[in-house]
Amino acid sequence: MNTTGITKFLIDHAGRDTVSFHMPGHKGARLYKRFGYDSFLDNIVGCDITEIVGADNLFQTEGIIADTMAKYRKLFDAKASYLLINGSSGGIIASIMACVPQGGKLIMARNCHKSVFSGLALGGIRPVYAYPSMVEEYGITGPVEPSEIERLLSENPDASAVILPSPNYYGICSDIRAIAEIVHAAGKFLIVDQAHGAHLKFFETCGAAADAAGASADGPFAVPESAETQGADLVINSTHKTLCSFTQSAILNVPAGSRFDDLYHLEDKLQQMESTSPSYLLMASLDINADILSAHGGELFEAWRDNLNYFYQEAAGIDGLAFMQVKDGARQAMDMTKINLDMSACGLDGHQLEEALLAHEIYAELVTGNILMCMTGIGNSREDFDRLLAALREISETHPAMQNIAFAADSGSTDAATAGAALWTKHRTLHEMPRVKELVPLQQCAGRICAASLIPYPPGIPLICPGEEIGAEEIDYITSLRNQGDKVIGVGADGRIAVGK
Ligand SMILES: Cc1ncc(COP(=O)(O)O)c(C=O)c1O
C-alpha cells in the first residue's frame, strides 16, 4: 500500500503496540471485535453512505435512526436523546441557543469549553461569568460552588440559563444536585457540559457512584452520579471520549425529569448547527455503543471499576507517585476514571513524565504543570493498567523520590502552574466587543482589547476572551506555553493575535 501523510501516520500508529490513555474511549478495534462487529469493521467504506431509501434522516427520524435514539432514551432514562455528529461542541451550542434568546444573558462557568464561547458569539449572548474555585497546588480550576451560582442568579434575574462543565477535563465535578435546585428555584434552565462524563450514568448501576454523602462501593475508586440523575435539564455527553462510539459522535439528553420541554425549538437549533451530511459511520458507531452498553454494560463497567480499584491500590505502593486530590479527597467531587499522575517528588514535571511513559509506548491525554492525566475508557483492559503500573514502577526506580525532591522544588514548575492558575480565574472587566480588528504581534499587545479568544489547547478553555484586556502577565504566560510546545489557538503561526483597532 502506497500511503503518505495522515493515512501513513494512522496506519503506522495502529500497527504499533501502544497503550491508549487518551481519547477515544474504545481504545482501538479490540472491543468491537470482542462483541462480533467484524463485519462492520471490514465494510467500513461500504457503510459510508448517505440518506438512501430506508436509511432514515437525522433531521426527520422515523426509521433506523429513530430506533437508535430510542435506545439512548432507555439507557439514560431521558425524555429525548439526540445523536450528535459534530461532537458535544455542536450539542452545547444548540442547547445554549435553545435556552437563551438572541441577545439574552447566560450565566456560565469561566472555565467553559470554547464551544460555549462560540454559542455566545452565534447567539449575540451576553455572558455572566461564574468563577470556579482553584486547586491551588496544581494551578487548575476546580468546581463551581453552588453559592456562586446563587449569587449570580440573584444579581441577574434576566439570565435565561446556567451552563457549566462537570466533570472538567481533570475529572473535577461540581455539585450538580445543589446547583440544579438553585437554578430551578430561580425558574431557569441548567445545561451541563458532561462531555467528559458520558460514562457516569453507567457506573451508577455497578455501585461505583458515590452518593451526595460520598458513600460508594469498596475500594479507592469512585465517581459522582451523572448530571442526568442529579437534576440537570440538558446534558451533553461525548460518548466518543470514554465510551465506544467514534470520535466526533456524541449524545444530547433531555433527562426524564427535565424542565425543558420545547423539543421542537431544540431540534431546530440542532439542525442549524449540524452538517446536512451526517456521517452514517458515526451514527452506526453510536448504535453499536448503545447495543454494547445494553447487552454488556454490566460486565464492562464492573471490569472497569475493578481495574481502577486494582490500579489505585497497586499504585499506592509506588515511591514518589501521588494523585491530584480535591476538596480533601471528597469522593463525590472527583471522576476517578481520569488518573491524574504527579511524580514531581521524583523530579519529573508533567511533560517529563509524559516523555518517560512514551518510552514505554504509553500515550496519556493531557499535561498541566506537574500533572499528567491518563484518560481511561470502556475499552481499557487489565493489561493496559498493568503496563502503566510497570512503567510507573520503573520510572520511580530510575528517578528515586528522595534524591531528586530538591529538583522538583528548584524547577519552579509548581510556581509557574500556580501563577498560570491565577490568570485562568482572573476577574477581567468585559469591554465592548471590538468591531474593527487588527493583527498585532502578541508581545506588543499589553493593554489592548482582545478580539478573538486565546485558547491553550488542551484544555480548550479560553484564557482571554474577546472584550477582555490583555496584560503583560498573560503575554508572558502564553509565551511560556508556546515555548514548551503547547498550542494556543488564536495566536497565528507568525505570533500575531487579533485585537481591537
Ligand atoms: C469540557 C469540554 N466540553 C466540550 C468539549 C467538546 O467535545 P467534543 O470534542 O465532543 O466536541 C470538550 C472537548 O474536549 C471539552 O473538553
Short mmCIF file of all heavy atoms in Angstrom, two decimals, residues 83-144:
data_model
loop_
_atom_site.label_atom_id
_atom_site.label_comp_id
_atom_site.label_asym_id
_atom_site.label_seq_id
_atom_site.Cartn_x
_atom_site.Cartn_y
_atom_site.Cartn_z
N LEU A 83 -28.73 12.10 18.60
CA LEU A 83 -27.40 11.71 18.12
C LEU A 83 -26.72 12.96 17.59
O LEU A 83 -27.29 13.70 16.81
CB LEU A 83 -27.52 10.69 16.97
CG LEU A 83 -28.45 9.49 17.12
CD1 LEU A 83 -28.20 8.49 15.98
CD2 LEU A 83 -28.25 8.79 18.46
N LEU A 84 -25.48 13.17 18.03
CA LEU A 84 -24.72 14.35 17.58
C LEU A 84 -23.57 13.89 16.71
O LEU A 84 -22.83 12.97 17.10
CB LEU A 84 -24.18 15.13 18.78
CG LEU A 84 -25.21 15.60 19.82
CD1 LEU A 84 -24.51 16.18 21.05
CD2 LEU A 84 -26.14 16.65 19.21
N ILE A 85 -23.41 14.53 15.56
CA ILE A 85 -22.30 14.14 14.69
C ILE A 85 -21.27 15.27 14.55
O ILE A 85 -20.32 15.14 13.80
CB ILE A 85 -22.80 13.64 13.30
CG1 ILE A 85 -23.93 14.49 12.74
CG2 ILE A 85 -23.30 12.21 13.41
CD1 ILE A 85 -23.53 15.76 12.16
N ASN A 86 -21.47 16.36 15.31
CA ASN A 86 -20.44 17.42 15.39
C ASN A 86 -19.88 17.45 16.81
O ASN A 86 -19.54 18.51 17.32
CB ASN A 86 -21.04 18.79 15.09
CG ASN A 86 -21.30 19.01 13.61
OD1 ASN A 86 -21.29 18.06 12.84
ND2 ASN A 86 -21.54 20.24 13.22
N GLY A 87 -19.81 16.30 17.45
CA GLY A 87 -19.29 16.22 18.81
C GLY A 87 -20.21 16.88 19.81
O GLY A 87 -21.30 17.37 19.46
N SER A 88 -19.76 16.91 21.07
CA SER A 88 -20.52 17.65 22.08
C SER A 88 -20.56 19.13 21.72
O SER A 88 -21.50 19.84 22.08
CB SER A 88 -19.86 17.50 23.46
OG SER A 88 -20.16 16.24 24.00
N SER A 89 -19.54 19.59 21.02
CA SER A 89 -19.47 21.02 20.67
C SER A 89 -20.78 21.48 20.03
O SER A 89 -21.36 22.49 20.44
CB SER A 89 -18.31 21.28 19.70
OG SER A 89 -17.11 20.85 20.27
N GLY A 90 -21.26 20.74 19.01
CA GLY A 90 -22.49 21.13 18.33
C GLY A 90 -23.69 21.09 19.27
O GLY A 90 -24.55 21.98 19.23
N GLY A 91 -23.74 20.08 20.14
CA GLY A 91 -24.86 19.95 21.08
C GLY A 91 -24.86 21.06 22.12
O GLY A 91 -25.93 21.52 22.55
N ILE A 92 -23.68 21.48 22.51
CA ILE A 92 -23.57 22.57 23.51
C ILE A 92 -24.09 23.88 22.89
O ILE A 92 -24.89 24.59 23.49
CB ILE A 92 -22.09 22.70 23.97
CG1 ILE A 92 -21.74 21.53 24.88
CG2 ILE A 92 -21.85 24.04 24.66
CD1 ILE A 92 -20.26 21.41 25.22
N ILE A 93 -23.65 24.16 21.69
CA ILE A 93 -24.08 25.41 21.04
C ILE A 93 -25.60 25.39 20.84
O ILE A 93 -26.30 26.37 21.15
CB ILE A 93 -23.34 25.63 19.71
CG1 ILE A 93 -21.83 25.75 19.96
CG2 ILE A 93 -23.86 26.87 18.98
CD1 ILE A 93 -20.97 25.78 18.70
N ALA A 94 -26.12 24.27 20.35
CA ALA A 94 -27.57 24.18 20.11
C ALA A 94 -28.35 24.33 21.43
O ALA A 94 -29.39 25.00 21.47
CB ALA A 94 -27.91 22.84 19.44
N SER A 95 -27.85 23.72 22.50
CA SER A 95 -28.54 23.81 23.80
C SER A 95 -28.59 25.25 24.29
O SER A 95 -29.62 25.72 24.79
CB SER A 95 -27.82 22.95 24.85
OG SER A 95 -27.81 21.61 24.46
N ILE A 96 -27.47 25.94 24.14
CA ILE A 96 -27.44 27.35 24.58
C ILE A 96 -28.45 28.16 23.78
O ILE A 96 -29.26 28.92 24.33
CB ILE A 96 -26.01 27.94 24.40
CG1 ILE A 96 -25.05 27.28 25.38
CG2 ILE A 96 -26.02 29.47 24.58
CD1 ILE A 96 -23.58 27.62 25.16
N MET A 97 -28.44 27.97 22.45
CA MET A 97 -29.33 28.78 21.60
C MET A 97 -30.80 28.40 21.84
O MET A 97 -31.69 29.22 21.62
CB MET A 97 -28.95 28.60 20.15
CG MET A 97 -27.47 28.91 19.95
SD MET A 97 -27.07 30.04 18.66
CE MET A 97 -27.48 29.15 17.24
N ALA A 98 -31.04 27.18 22.30
CA ALA A 98 -32.43 26.77 22.57
C ALA A 98 -32.93 27.36 23.90
O ALA A 98 -34.12 27.57 24.07
CB ALA A 98 -32.52 25.25 22.61
N CYS A 99 -32.02 27.62 24.83
CA CYS A 99 -32.42 28.10 26.16
C CYS A 99 -32.33 29.61 26.30
O CYS A 99 -32.98 30.19 27.18
CB CYS A 99 -31.55 27.47 27.24
SG CYS A 99 -31.82 25.72 27.48
N VAL A 100 -31.47 30.24 25.50
CA VAL A 100 -31.23 31.69 25.68
C VAL A 100 -31.64 32.41 24.40
O VAL A 100 -31.15 32.06 23.32
CB VAL A 100 -29.73 31.96 25.97
CG1 VAL A 100 -29.51 33.43 26.31
CG2 VAL A 100 -29.22 31.05 27.08
N PRO A 101 -32.52 33.40 24.49
CA PRO A 101 -32.92 34.09 23.28
C PRO A 101 -31.77 34.93 22.71
O PRO A 101 -30.82 35.28 23.43
CB PRO A 101 -34.07 35.00 23.73
CG PRO A 101 -33.88 35.15 25.20
CD PRO A 101 -33.19 33.90 25.69
N GLN A 102 -31.85 35.23 21.42
CA GLN A 102 -30.86 36.09 20.76
C GLN A 102 -30.65 37.35 21.60
O GLN A 102 -31.63 37.99 22.00
CB GLN A 102 -31.38 36.44 19.35
CG GLN A 102 -30.36 37.05 18.42
CD GLN A 102 -29.41 36.00 17.85
OE1 GLN A 102 -29.70 34.81 17.85
NE2 GLN A 102 -28.26 36.44 17.37
N GLY A 103 -29.40 37.66 21.93
CA GLY A 103 -29.11 38.87 22.71
C GLY A 103 -29.35 38.71 24.20
O GLY A 103 -29.16 39.65 24.97
N GLY A 104 -29.75 37.51 24.64
CA GLY A 104 -30.05 37.31 26.06
C GLY A 104 -28.81 37.09 26.90
O GLY A 104 -27.67 37.31 26.45
N LYS A 105 -29.03 36.67 28.13
CA LYS A 105 -27.93 36.54 29.11
C LYS A 105 -27.77 35.09 29.55
O LYS A 105 -28.77 34.40 29.79
CB LYS A 105 -28.28 37.37 30.33
CG LYS A 105 -27.19 38.30 30.80
CD LYS A 105 -27.64 38.96 32.09
CE LYS A 105 -27.10 40.36 32.19
NZ LYS A 105 -27.43 40.96 33.49
N LEU A 106 -26.51 34.65 29.69
CA LEU A 106 -26.21 33.30 30.12
C LEU A 106 -25.21 33.34 31.27
O LEU A 106 -24.16 33.99 31.15
CB LEU A 106 -25.59 32.51 28.94
CG LEU A 106 -25.08 31.11 29.24
CD1 LEU A 106 -26.23 30.14 29.53
CD2 LEU A 106 -24.27 30.57 28.04
N ILE A 107 -25.55 32.68 32.36
CA ILE A 107 -24.57 32.53 33.45
C ILE A 107 -23.73 31.30 33.13
O ILE A 107 -24.28 30.21 32.91
CB ILE A 107 -25.27 32.38 34.81
CG1 ILE A 107 -26.04 33.68 35.11
CG2 ILE A 107 -24.26 32.06 35.92
CD1 ILE A 107 -26.87 33.64 36.37
N MET A 108 -22.43 31.49 33.03
CA MET A 108 -21.57 30.37 32.58
C MET A 108 -20.28 30.32 33.39
O MET A 108 -19.75 31.35 33.79
CB MET A 108 -21.23 30.54 31.10
CG MET A 108 -20.52 31.85 30.78
SD MET A 108 -20.06 31.94 29.04
CE MET A 108 -18.54 30.98 29.03
N ALA A 109 -19.82 29.11 33.63
CA ALA A 109 -18.52 28.97 34.29
C ALA A 109 -17.46 29.60 33.39
O ALA A 109 -17.50 29.42 32.17
CB ALA A 109 -18.23 27.50 34.52
N ARG A 110 -16.53 30.32 33.99
CA ARG A 110 -15.48 30.97 33.19
C ARG A 110 -14.56 29.92 32.54
O ARG A 110 -13.90 30.20 31.56
CB ARG A 110 -14.68 31.93 34.07
CG ARG A 110 -13.53 32.65 33.40
CD ARG A 110 -14.01 33.48 32.21
NE ARG A 110 -12.91 34.21 31.58
CZ ARG A 110 -12.00 33.67 30.77
NH1 ARG A 110 -12.05 32.37 30.50
NH2 ARG A 110 -11.05 34.40 30.25
N ASN A 111 -14.54 28.70 33.10
CA ASN A 111 -13.69 27.65 32.52
C ASN A 111 -14.46 26.75 31.55
O ASN A 111 -14.12 25.59 31.37
CB ASN A 111 -13.04 26.80 33.62
CG ASN A 111 -14.06 26.05 34.47
OD1 ASN A 111 -15.18 26.51 34.63
ND2 ASN A 111 -13.68 24.91 35.02
N CYS A 112 -15.51 27.32 30.93
CA CYS A 112 -16.24 26.53 29.93
C CYS A 112 -15.37 26.28 28.69
O CYS A 112 -14.45 27.04 28.40
CB CYS A 112 -17.52 27.25 29.50
SG CYS A 112 -18.92 26.92 30.59
N HIS A 113 -15.73 25.24 27.98
CA HIS A 113 -15.06 24.88 26.72
C HIS A 113 -15.31 25.95 25.67
O HIS A 113 -16.30 26.68 25.73
CB HIS A 113 -15.64 23.54 26.25
CG HIS A 113 -15.02 23.00 25.01
ND1 HIS A 113 -15.67 22.98 23.81
CD2 HIS A 113 -13.80 22.44 24.80
CE1 HIS A 113 -14.88 22.42 22.90
NE2 HIS A 113 -13.75 22.08 23.47
N LYS A 114 -14.45 26.01 24.65
CA LYS A 114 -14.56 27.05 23.64
C LYS A 114 -15.89 27.01 22.90
O LYS A 114 -16.37 28.04 22.41
CB LYS A 114 -13.37 27.00 22.67
CG LYS A 114 -13.38 25.83 21.70
CD LYS A 114 -12.04 25.70 21.02
CE LYS A 114 -11.88 26.63 19.86
NZ LYS A 114 -12.20 25.99 18.56
N SER A 115 -16.54 25.83 22.82
CA SER A 115 -17.83 25.76 22.13
C SER A 115 -18.87 26.65 22.81
O SER A 115 -19.76 27.18 22.14
CB SER A 115 -18.32 24.32 22.06
OG SER A 115 -18.36 23.75 23.35
N VAL A 116 -18.78 26.82 24.12
CA VAL A 116 -19.73 27.70 24.82
C VAL A 116 -19.51 29.14 24.37
O VAL A 116 -20.47 29.89 24.12
CB VAL A 116 -19.56 27.57 26.36
CG1 VAL A 116 -20.46 28.55 27.09
CG2 VAL A 116 -19.86 26.13 26.80
N PHE A 117 -18.25 29.50 24.21
CA PHE A 117 -17.94 30.86 23.74
C PHE A 117 -18.40 31.04 22.29
O PHE A 117 -18.84 32.12 21.90
CB PHE A 117 -16.44 31.15 23.90
CG PHE A 117 -16.03 31.21 25.36
CD1 PHE A 117 -15.65 30.07 26.05
CD2 PHE A 117 -16.04 32.41 26.05
CE1 PHE A 117 -15.30 30.12 27.39
CE2 PHE A 117 -15.69 32.48 27.39
CZ PHE A 117 -15.31 31.33 28.07
N SER A 118 -18.35 29.96 21.52
CA SER A 118 -18.88 30.03 20.14
C SER A 118 -20.39 30.27 20.20
O SER A 118 -20.94 31.04 19.40
CB SER A 118 -18.62 28.73 19.38
OG SER A 118 -17.25 28.44 19.39
N GLY A 119 -21.06 29.60 21.15
CA GLY A 119 -22.51 29.79 21.31
C GLY A 119 -22.84 31.24 21.63
O GLY A 119 -23.82 31.80 21.12
N LEU A 120 -22.00 31.87 22.46
CA LEU A 120 -22.21 33.28 22.80
C LEU A 120 -22.14 34.12 21.53
O LEU A 120 -23.00 34.98 21.27
CB LEU A 120 -21.12 33.79 23.75
CG LEU A 120 -20.97 33.18 25.13
CD1 LEU A 120 -19.84 33.87 25.89
CD2 LEU A 120 -22.27 33.28 25.90
N ALA A 121 -21.08 33.87 20.75
CA ALA A 121 -20.87 34.69 19.54
C ALA A 121 -22.03 34.50 18.56
O ALA A 121 -22.56 35.48 18.01
CB ALA A 121 -19.54 34.31 18.90
N LEU A 122 -22.46 33.25 18.37
CA LEU A 122 -23.51 32.99 17.38
C LEU A 122 -24.86 33.54 17.82
O LEU A 122 -25.66 33.97 16.99
CB LEU A 122 -23.61 31.48 17.13
CG LEU A 122 -22.43 30.87 16.40
CD1 LEU A 122 -22.48 29.36 16.44
CD2 LEU A 122 -22.39 31.37 14.96
N GLY A 123 -25.11 33.53 19.14
CA GLY A 123 -26.42 33.99 19.62
C GLY A 123 -26.40 35.43 20.09
O GLY A 123 -27.40 35.91 20.63
N GLY A 124 -25.27 36.13 19.91
CA GLY A 124 -25.17 37.50 20.41
C GLY A 124 -25.50 37.54 21.91
O GLY A 124 -26.13 38.47 22.41
N ILE A 125 -25.07 36.50 22.61
CA ILE A 125 -25.46 36.31 24.02
C ILE A 125 -24.44 36.97 24.95
O ILE A 125 -23.23 36.90 24.72
CB ILE A 125 -25.60 34.80 24.33
CG1 ILE A 125 -26.80 34.24 23.54
CG2 ILE A 125 -25.74 34.53 25.81
CD1 ILE A 125 -26.85 32.73 23.47
N ARG A 126 -24.95 37.63 26.00
CA ARG A 126 -24.05 38.27 26.96
C ARG A 126 -23.71 37.29 28.09
O ARG A 126 -24.61 36.75 28.73
CB ARG A 126 -24.72 39.52 27.56
CG ARG A 126 -24.83 40.67 26.55
CD ARG A 126 -25.82 41.70 27.01
NE ARG A 126 -27.17 41.14 27.13
CZ ARG A 126 -28.06 41.50 28.06
NH1 ARG A 126 -27.75 42.41 28.96
NH2 ARG A 126 -29.27 40.96 28.08
N PRO A 127 -22.42 37.06 28.33
CA PRO A 127 -22.05 36.12 29.40
C PRO A 127 -21.98 36.80 30.76
O PRO A 127 -21.65 37.98 30.86
CB PRO A 127 -20.64 35.69 28.98
CG PRO A 127 -20.08 36.88 28.26
CD PRO A 127 -21.24 37.58 27.61
N VAL A 128 -22.33 36.06 31.78
CA VAL A 128 -22.03 36.47 33.16
C VAL A 128 -21.18 35.34 33.70
O VAL A 128 -21.62 34.19 33.75
CB VAL A 128 -23.33 36.59 34.00
CG1 VAL A 128 -22.98 36.93 35.44
CG2 VAL A 128 -24.27 37.62 33.40
N TYR A 129 -19.94 35.64 34.08
CA TYR A 129 -19.02 34.56 34.44
C TYR A 129 -19.15 34.12 35.89
O TYR A 129 -19.12 34.94 36.81
CB TYR A 129 -17.56 34.98 34.19
CG TYR A 129 -17.24 35.18 32.72
CD1 TYR A 129 -16.54 36.30 32.29
CD2 TYR A 129 -17.63 34.24 31.77
CE1 TYR A 129 -16.25 36.49 30.94
CE2 TYR A 129 -17.35 34.41 30.43
CZ TYR A 129 -16.65 35.54 30.03
OH TYR A 129 -16.37 35.71 28.70
N ALA A 130 -19.27 32.81 36.06
CA ALA A 130 -19.17 32.20 37.39
C ALA A 130 -17.74 31.69 37.49
O ALA A 130 -17.32 30.88 36.65
CB ALA A 130 -20.15 31.04 37.51
N TYR A 131 -17.02 32.16 38.49
CA TYR A 131 -15.61 31.75 38.60
C TYR A 131 -15.49 30.49 39.45
O TYR A 131 -15.97 30.45 40.58
CB TYR A 131 -14.77 32.90 39.18
CG TYR A 131 -14.54 33.96 38.14
CD1 TYR A 131 -15.47 34.97 37.93
CD2 TYR A 131 -13.44 33.90 37.31
CE1 TYR A 131 -15.29 35.92 36.93
CE2 TYR A 131 -13.25 34.84 36.31
CZ TYR A 131 -14.18 35.84 36.13
OH TYR A 131 -14.01 36.76 35.13
N PRO A 132 -14.85 29.45 38.87
CA PRO A 132 -14.67 28.22 39.66
C PRO A 132 -13.65 28.45 40.76
O PRO A 132 -12.84 29.39 40.68
CB PRO A 132 -14.13 27.23 38.62
CG PRO A 132 -13.54 28.06 37.55
CD PRO A 132 -14.26 29.38 37.54
N SER A 133 -13.70 27.61 41.79
CA SER A 133 -12.64 27.69 42.79
C SER A 133 -11.38 27.10 42.17
O SER A 133 -11.42 26.53 41.08
CB SER A 133 -13.05 26.92 44.05
OG SER A 133 -13.28 25.58 43.69
N MET A 134 -10.28 27.22 42.87
CA MET A 134 -8.99 26.77 42.32
C MET A 134 -8.45 25.58 43.10
O MET A 134 -8.70 25.44 44.28
CB MET A 134 -7.95 27.89 42.45
CG MET A 134 -8.19 29.07 41.58
SD MET A 134 -8.18 28.64 39.85
CE MET A 134 -6.60 27.84 39.66
N VAL A 135 -7.71 24.73 42.39
CA VAL A 135 -6.89 23.73 43.08
C VAL A 135 -5.49 24.33 43.05
O VAL A 135 -4.74 24.16 42.09
CB VAL A 135 -6.93 22.37 42.37
CG1 VAL A 135 -6.15 21.32 43.16
CG2 VAL A 135 -8.36 21.92 42.13
N GLU A 136 -5.20 25.13 44.07
CA GLU A 136 -4.01 26.00 44.06
C GLU A 136 -2.72 25.23 43.79
O GLU A 136 -1.89 25.64 42.99
CB GLU A 136 -3.86 26.72 45.41
CG GLU A 136 -4.98 27.70 45.73
CD GLU A 136 -4.96 28.92 44.83
OE1 GLU A 136 -3.95 29.13 44.12
OE2 GLU A 136 -5.98 29.65 44.84
N GLU A 137 -2.59 24.07 44.45
CA GLU A 137 -1.33 23.34 44.37
C GLU A 137 -0.98 22.98 42.93
O GLU A 137 0.19 22.92 42.55
CB GLU A 137 -1.46 22.07 45.22
CG GLU A 137 -0.15 21.35 45.39
CD GLU A 137 -0.36 19.98 46.02
OE1 GLU A 137 -1.48 19.70 46.49
OE2 GLU A 137 0.60 19.20 46.01
N TYR A 138 -2.01 22.73 42.13
CA TYR A 138 -1.75 22.28 40.77
C TYR A 138 -2.04 23.35 39.72
O TYR A 138 -1.83 23.12 38.53
CB TYR A 138 -2.58 21.02 40.48
CG TYR A 138 -2.05 19.84 41.24
CD1 TYR A 138 -2.68 19.38 42.37
CD2 TYR A 138 -0.88 19.21 40.83
CE1 TYR A 138 -2.18 18.30 43.08
CE2 TYR A 138 -0.37 18.14 41.52
CZ TYR A 138 -1.02 17.68 42.65
OH TYR A 138 -0.49 16.62 43.34
N GLY A 139 -2.54 24.47 40.18
CA GLY A 139 -2.76 25.55 39.24
C GLY A 139 -3.86 25.26 38.23
O GLY A 139 -3.75 25.62 37.06
N ILE A 140 -4.91 24.57 38.66
CA ILE A 140 -6.01 24.30 37.73
C ILE A 140 -7.34 24.71 38.37
O ILE A 140 -7.43 24.87 39.58
CB ILE A 140 -6.08 22.81 37.31
CG1 ILE A 140 -6.32 21.93 38.53
CG2 ILE A 140 -4.82 22.40 36.57
CD1 ILE A 140 -6.62 20.50 38.15
N THR A 141 -8.33 24.87 37.49
CA THR A 141 -9.63 25.28 38.02
C THR A 141 -10.34 24.08 38.64
O THR A 141 -10.27 22.97 38.13
CB THR A 141 -10.51 25.88 36.91
OG1 THR A 141 -10.52 24.99 35.81
CG2 THR A 141 -9.99 27.22 36.47
N GLY A 142 -11.05 24.35 39.74
CA GLY A 142 -11.78 23.31 40.44
C GLY A 142 -13.28 23.41 40.15
O GLY A 142 -13.68 23.84 39.06
N PRO A 143 -14.11 23.03 41.13
CA PRO A 143 -15.57 23.07 40.90
C PRO A 143 -16.12 24.49 40.96
O PRO A 143 -15.48 25.40 41.50
CB PRO A 143 -16.11 22.24 42.08
CG PRO A 143 -15.04 22.25 43.11
CD PRO A 143 -13.73 22.47 42.43
N VAL A 144 -17.32 24.65 40.40
CA VAL A 144 -18.06 25.90 40.58
C VAL A 144 -18.95 25.69 41.81
O VAL A 144 -19.68 24.70 41.88
CB VAL A 144 -18.94 26.20 39.34
CG1 VAL A 144 -19.77 27.44 39.57
CG2 VAL A 144 -18.07 26.33 38.10
#
